[in-house]
Amino acid sequence: MSTPRQSYADPQWIDVDTAATFLRTCPDDAFMCLLRDCIERIETASEKLVSQVLIELEKRQLLEDPLWQQWQQEQDVRRSPFGLRLLAETCQRCGKNELATDFWTQLASLSIDDLATAHLALARLSEHPEEAYRHLRAAVGNCEEYAFLSRAARMLHRLQKKSPPPDARTIKVAVLGSSTTSLLLPILQVLGLRSGLNIDCYEAPFGQIPQEILNPGSGLYAFAPDFVIIATNWRDAGLPPISEDPETALDAVVEHWKNLWGPLMEKHPCTILQHNFDVPVVDSAGSLSGRHPGGRARLLRRLNEQLLGSAPAGVLFVDFDHIAGEFGKRAWFDAVGWYGAKQYPAADALPLLCEHYLALIRTALGLSAKVLALDLDNTLWQGVIGEDGLQGIKTGPPSAVGEAFADIRRYAAELKERGILLVVVSKNNEADAKLPFEQGEDMILKLEDFASFRANWEDKTHNLRQAAEELNLGLDSFVLLDDNPAERAQVRTQATAVAVVELPPRPEDFLQALQAGHHFEALTLSTEDQQRHADYQANRERQSLQTATGSLTDYLRQLRMEATLRPFNDADLDRIVQLINKTNQFNLTTRRYSREEVKALMASPDYWTCSVRLSDRFGDSGLVGVIIARREPARWYIDTWLMSCRVLGRGVEALMLHTLAQAARDDGATELEGRFIPTAKNGLVADLFPKLGFAPAGTDVDAQKFFAALDALVIPETHIEVVGS
């Protein structure tokens, strides 16, 4: 009886590094046998092992070997992520791009671990830019590795030479740094892609922050950025280990930055992203640095607080010290990179830093998510409610994993308190799905906390679309939390606008994965935010009233609506800016203005502004509408007209137009001109001007123009009582 051949890839003693070593050193006649063992037994298609195999295949001239050609057709090889990647790489090297595309596509659907690599390869192989961009966006969707993102950034640069990303919003970002920033910009641009942003960048000369800001002829002002990142670090505070006069030292630093912010915002209104100061790990004063009144660590923390309190509204702080702690301060500083190239922080930390930049940029642009869509089984609790029953699922202590799920529910409840809507999308019987919220003892979430509850056997994409329709929001407002990889993949493919959180294997890590996306960042917390959930609940009561009444007129009359219309003011400014930058559907021009730009409009005699608040018998909807018009002697031009979709169909738009028309008449004007600039999301108002009595007046670049003579304008009556102005 012969002795069975021992496999080099015996899972009891081999790992990827060992396999790479054996493949490099084994004789030619054993190579293919060993490689087959590796394909069958090693699941992870590691970069190192794949590279080693490709080197060996080329060196041993095996790429055209009949056995290797035969393997391309064998199902057991094609079922292995390692085997698929090898087949894809070798076909690509041999110029068999169609076959390589097939293998990469299979790998993308088979292995979450290889998803990014597969999509980046598919982007390179795509002949059509739009398809290449789609794959590139998928490649960087959940990747935080600097080396990989650098490769993806090079791919983005090549694509941009052909055409800009489709359906991406172009913004201009200038970076002013006291350290090297050349590695940072490509990472910022490629990560911006997954936020739907096409980022045009300006990199100021090294260490020239004051010079760029104070010189009106600098490249900064010629570039005219929307955002300016001021990338500083603890060295820029200039503090010694122990300061003899701490107060004077702090005042000097605060005054220095105030003297730069002011001129920058005066010369060019924009949003500034300013680093606060990180506290270094290495300090000759040791722990005394944090205890002594003049210690550098203690003063840096005080300085961060003082800068935050002194900054004007257009300055947003990037919590550089917090990000350093999140990344790990020992790894944050790369001595070789600093002394050799003034790189700070370490290159590996740049993706995390850029994520924090983009979180603030998205928020300033009104692109933060509005809805957290939640699966239930093994997402909000451990177990399957339909099979395990209420007593069988783990929802909290004393179960360790149950406690992790309880923290997820608590986090969701906290999001709801600041205006994020919660919805359920679960494959479940509805009665089973509701049971834990109705009878569970330690459930902080109750049924009334959900703006929409969809538990059925429809696919997730269908339920998400239905929830979006119910809430009158776009799918790009949604973030999905679901433990099932297949469900996540399906939503990514069929509802690409939804942000899908890639969850790790352990439930204990789910919350960190959700937090890492920074989907729900906010710059302010308005009364409207805090009341948002209650307003959606009130909308259900409004819908019930509408169903019960015999006509639309009766329904509107029974709502007992009251409105307050008034010019923009400082008290409402944050909410007005939020609406201008977040409203997409009922928005005629989708022009976006920063806080400073809105303040300039408020102060200008050439502009008329109006905001509207609405309440009814079911509750107060808060500030829901905005109009900005440019005055000219005979004709007023509607610059911006937008309204929250929560109040659609109640006649608010007619009331706003009536107020605008009356103001124009009182000012001596005889005509109004409005423009509709189509976007992917504002089709809702494409015919608004004709419906309100405006006549088409031609086109101008990307806008459709409409005209109305004020003496002939007939505005529909409303059932809204104006109670304040």
Side-chain angles (χ1 to χ4, degrees):
M1 179 175 167
S2 61
T3 303
R5 174 179 60 84
Q6 184 177 22
S7 169
Y8 283 109
D10 190 316
Q12 295 182 22
W13 58 273
I14 198 166
D15 58 22
V16 169
D17 289 338
T18 306
T21 301
F22 282 140
L23 286 165
R24 186 175 64 253
T25 58
C26 78
D28 289 350
D29 58 359
F31 181 83
M32 295 301 282
C33 180
L34 173 58
L35 179 57
R36 185 57 175 258
D37 272 348
C38 290
I39 288 172
E40 292 177 356
R41 298 174 184 270
I42 296 176
E43 293 186 1
T44 304
S46 77
E47 192 82 34
K48 179 178 179 179
L49 186 56
V50 170
S51 297
Q52 183 64 54
V53 172
L54 291 172
I55 290 169
E56 294 300 321
L57 284 169
E58 288 186 339
K59 184 173 70 175
R60 299 168 191 261
Q61 299 181 343
L62 294 172
L63 286 175
E64 299 300 329
D65 185 277
L67 184 57
W68 180 244
Q69 300 296 316
Q70 177 186 331
W71 287 3
Q72 295 179 13
Q73 308 303 322
E74 294 187 11
Q75 290 303 311
D76 56 345
V77 176
R78 295 165 72 120
R79 280 194 295 265
S80 158
F82 179 35
L84 272 173
R85 181 161 177 187
L86 277 177
L87 293 172
E89 294 272 15
T90 52
C91 287
Q92 196 167 337
R93 289 194 177 202
C94 294
K96 302 175 181 178
N97 289 349
E98 187 174 340
L99 197 54
T101 298
D102 180 48
F103 289 139
W104 284 121
T105 302
Q106 290 180 57
L107 182 61
S109 63
L110 180 67
S111 171
I112 289 294
D113 292 335
D114 300 300
L115 190 68
T117 300
H119 278 293
L120 183 57
L122 288 167
R124 291 195 184 104
L125 289 167
S126 297
E127 295 180 359
H128 304 290
E130 186 170 341
E131 181 182 328
Y133 274 118
R134 178 173 61 82
H135 284 300
L136 184 57
R137 186 173 180 179
V140 301
N142 290 284
C143 181
E144 303 297 337
E145 294 181 6
Y146 171 76
F148 179 85
L149 290 173
S150 292
R151 297 200 302 272
R154 290 193 291 272
M155 181 69 209
L156 174 62
H157 183 65
R158 289 196 294 270
L159 284 174
Q160 286 174 324
K161 289 182 177 179
K162 299 177 181 178
S163 64
D167 301 323
R169 180 173 177 177
T170 298
I171 61 169
K172 301 172 79 173
V173 178
V175 181
L176 284 59
S178 60
S179 56
T180 299
T181 56
S182 56
L183 299 184
L184 183 146
L185 270 63
I187 303 301
L188 180 66
Q189 289 175 308
V190 78
L191 287 178
L193 189 65
R194 69 188 184 194
S195 297
L197 298 174
N198 179 37
I199 302 179
D200 186 13
C201 285
Y202 168 75
E203 182 181 18
F206 172 83
Q208 299 290 300
I209 296 174
Q211 294 88 332
E212 285 283 308
I213 292 174
L214 298 176
N215 177 11
S218 71
L220 172 67
Y221 296 113
F223 180 66
D226 303 301
F227 295 88
V228 175
I229 296 172
I230 301 180
T232 53
N233 61 74
W234 65 271
R235 298 171 183 83
D236 297 294
L239 298 175
I242 304 292
S243 294
E244 294 182 2
D245 188 351
E247 302 309 318
T248 300
L250 291 179
D251 289 346
V253 178
V254 172
E255 197 63 24
H256 169 76
W257 287 108
K258 288 169 67 176
N259 290 336
L260 292 178
W261 296 330
L264 172 54
M265 299 183 79
E266 183 179 339
K267 291 185 181 76
H268 180 72
C270 60
T271 300
I272 299 171
L273 273 59
Q274 170 80 51
H275 285 196
N276 70 6
F277 293 111
D278 56 327
V279 177
V281 172
V282 178
D283 194 316
S284 61
S287 61
L288 185 64
S289 183
R291 295 196 311 271
H292 192 283
R296 178 161 48 202
R298 187 168 177 177
L299 289 187
L300 286 170
R301 294 187 179 102
R302 286 184 59 195
L303 181 57
N304 287 340
E305 286 295 323
Q306 290 191 22
L307 286 169
L308 187 62
S310 302
V315 177
L316 308 179
F317 274 92
V318 179
D319 198 342
F320 201 54
D321 190 52
H322 171 81
I323 301 167
E326 184 181 347
F327 183 78
K329 285 201 172 182
R330 286 187 178 276
W332 183 252
F333 174 62
D334 172 19
V336 174
W338 173 254
Y339 293 116
K342 291 297 178 282
Q343 174 61 47
Y344 192 85
D348 286 342
L350 294 179
L352 179 62
L353 178 59
C354 288
E355 272 296 342
H356 281 267
Y357 291 154
L358 287 164
L360 290 174
I361 289 172
R362 287 195 302 267
T363 306
L365 294 173
L367 300 177
S368 292
K370 302 173 184 176
V371 183
L372 176 59
L374 296 158
D375 180 45
L376 297 178
D377 295 330
N378 295 310
T379 300
L380 288 190
W381 54 71
Q382 186 181 46
V384 179
I385 183 64
E387 297 176 4
D388 302 323
L390 189 59
Q391 303 306 315
I393 61 172
K394 292 182 171 62
T395 58
S399 163
V401 71
E403 188 174 356
F405 284 113
D407 279 347
I408 294 172
R409 299 194 302 275
R410 186 175 298 107
Y411 186 93
E414 291 167 355
L415 288 177
K416 178 218 148 195
E417 290 304 310
R418 63 177 185 85
I420 304 304
L421 301 176
L422 306 180
V423 306
V424 164
V425 284
S426 174
K427 286 187 175 178
N428 246 312
N429 293 320
E430 184 174 355
D432 292 334
K434 289 182 174 179
L435 194 61
F437 303 106
E438 293 171 331
Q439 300 181 23
E441 294 181 359
D442 55 356
M443 294 291 288
I444 189 172
L445 291 175
K446 302 298 181 184
L447 281 179
E448 57 267 23
D449 292 319
F450 297 100
S452 178
F453 197 100
R454 297 188 172 274
N456 51 48
W457 298 101
E458 300 282 354
D459 64 65
K460 283 286 163 70
T461 302
H462 174 80
N463 278 326
L464 285 166
R465 293 188 191 282
Q466 291 294 107
E469 184 177 340
E470 179 183 352
L471 300 177
N472 211 359
L473 293 170
L475 283 174
D476 56 353
S477 298
F478 281 66
V479 175
L480 175 66
L481 194 72
D482 192 318
D483 71 295
N484 189 323
E487 299 283 8
R488 297 196 299 266
Q490 185 244 359
V491 172
R492 281 197 190 96
T493 302
Q494 298 183 16
T496 55
V498 176
V500 181
V501 180
E502 187 54 41
L503 291 180
R506 299 187 310 175
E508 293 88 345
D509 298 324
F510 283 7
L511 199 52
Q512 282 187 314
L514 175 58
Q515 174 73 18
H518 305 285
H519 302 289
F520 303 107
E521 291 292 319
L523 302 181
T524 59
L525 184 60
S526 67
T527 302
E528 286 80 4
D529 291 330
Q530 294 173 306
Q531 294 176 345
R532 184 168 292 114
H533 178 79
D535 198 42
Y536 273 92
Q537 295 284 35
N539 264 345
R540 292 180 180 175
E541 298 182 60
R542 294 182 184 103
Q543 289 167 3
S544 297
L545 174 65
Q546 186 172 9
T547 302
T549 53
S551 70
L552 178 60
T553 300
D554 289 342
Y555 162 66
L556 294 175
R557 186 180 296 114
Q558 289 182 42
L559 280 178
R560 299 197 296 272
M561 292 179 286
E562 295 181 345
T564 301
L565 298 105
R566 61 189 180 193
F568 292 0
N569 59 53
D570 289 338
D572 294 332
L573 184 57
D574 286 339
R575 172 59 177 167
I576 290 167
V577 173
Q578 184 186 55
L579 267 181
I580 287 172
N581 286 289
K582 292 184 74 171
T583 305
N584 294 309
Q585 296 183 67
F586 194 109
N587 195 331
L588 275 300
T589 56
T590 319
R591 293 191 174 108
R592 309 299 192 183
Y593 292 120
S594 69
R595 196 177 196 276
E596 294 305 309
E597 288 170 326
V598 174
K599 289 185 72 173
L601 292 172
M602 289 166 56
S604 172
D606 297 328
Y607 284 86
W608 176 88
T609 64
C610 180
S611 66
V612 57
R613 291 179 173 273
L614 186 71
S615 62
D616 62 21
R617 60 184 278 191
F618 295 110
D620 186 351
S621 296
L623 198 157
V624 296
V626 164
I627 288 190
I628 300 170
R630 178 167 54 85
R631 289 183 168 111
E632 289 198 2
R635 178 178 290 195
W636 278 26
Y637 296 85
I638 301 171
D639 175 274
T640 297
W641 186 1
L642 56 89
M643 192 173 73
S644 169
C645 289
R646 291 181 289 124
V647 296
L648 288 177
R650 300 188 218 168
V652 179
E653 62 273 23
L655 178 63
M656 294 175 77
L657 178 59
H658 173 80
T659 305
L660 169 66
Q662 189 59 52
R665 289 190 192 98
D666 293 345
D667 198 51
T670 58
E671 300 169 345
L672 288 177
E673 182 177 306
R675 298 187 177 207
F676 171 65
I677 302 176
T679 71
K681 299 178 181 179
N682 70 351
L684 175 73
V685 292
D687 59 352
L688 180 70
F689 282 120
K691 281 184 176 179
L692 292 174
F694 284 67
T699 60
D700 182 12
V701 191
D702 57 350
Q704 301 170 24
K705 298 195 298 184
F706 296 89
F707 162 82
L710 286 171
D711 59 359
L713 189 62
V714 179
I715 302 171
E717 292 185 5
T718 72
H719 297 278
I720 306 172
E721 181 184 358
V722 177
V723 296
S725 59

